[in-house]
């Protein structure tokens, strides 16, 4: 996981809706496509709805720890022989590859 993105995600959010929403907006901004302006209001609304559905801080930490614990998985997919389609826009692929390990693995 990108250490800068991980630092943003792993900061301890408060258990209140407003604090969670602000934390999520800060975490989502770096992954926003460069070709489009970041809609902070829409991101805050989506984050608030996610909080309302059932926010669990330990669940987020567990997910992040699982990603870190698995290590580099770049070589393993090369041994798979299955049809795969990875489709993404060309405008933001460069920005995302630097931040999302799953895309780096998919493109390896």
């Amino acid at each position: 996981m990108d250490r800068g993105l991980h630092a943003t995600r792993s900061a301890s959010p408060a258990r209140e809706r407003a604090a969670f929403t602000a934390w999520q907006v800060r975490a989502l901004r770096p992954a926003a496509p460069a070709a489009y302006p970041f809609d902070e209001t829409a991101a805050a609304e989506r984050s608030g709805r996610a909080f309302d559905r059932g926010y669990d801080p330990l669940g987020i930490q567990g997910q992040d720890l699982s990603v870190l614990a698995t290590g580099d998985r770049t070589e393993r997919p090369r041994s798979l022989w299955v049809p795969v389609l990875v489709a993404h826009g060309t405008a933001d692929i460069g920005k995302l590859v630097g931040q999302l390990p799953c895309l780096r693995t998919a493109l390896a």
Side-chain angles (χ1 to χ4, degrees):
M1 177 179 281
D2 179 275
R3 298 295 179 203
L5 190 58
H6 178 66
T8 303
R9 282 184 46 85
S10 64
S12 299
R15 294 185 182 273
E16 294 79 31
R17 187 181 199 269
F20 172 81
T21 299
W23 171 72
Q24 275 294 97
V25 169
R26 284 192 309 274
L28 292 170
R29 187 181 305 278
Y36 304 100
F38 180 70
D39 188 342
E40 188 169 322
T41 302
E45 288 172 2
R46 283 191 309 275
S47 298
R49 288 194 306 272
F51 181 89
D52 295 341
R53 282 192 306 269
Y55 163 63
D56 181 4
L58 292 177
I60 292 174
Q61 289 175 354
Q63 182 83 30
D64 285 348
L65 287 173
S66 296
V67 169
L68 291 172
T70 59
D72 185 359
R73 295 172 285 175
T74 306
E75 291 300 320
R76 194 164 183 199
R78 291 186 177 136
S79 67
L80 299 175
W81 292 94
V82 295
V84 176
L85 172 64
V86 177
H88 209 283
T90 57
D92 54 358
I93 192 71
K95 181 176 182 179
L96 289 174
V97 168
Q99 294 180 354
L100 300 176
C102 57
L103 278 177
R104 285 196 301 266
T105 299
L107 295 173

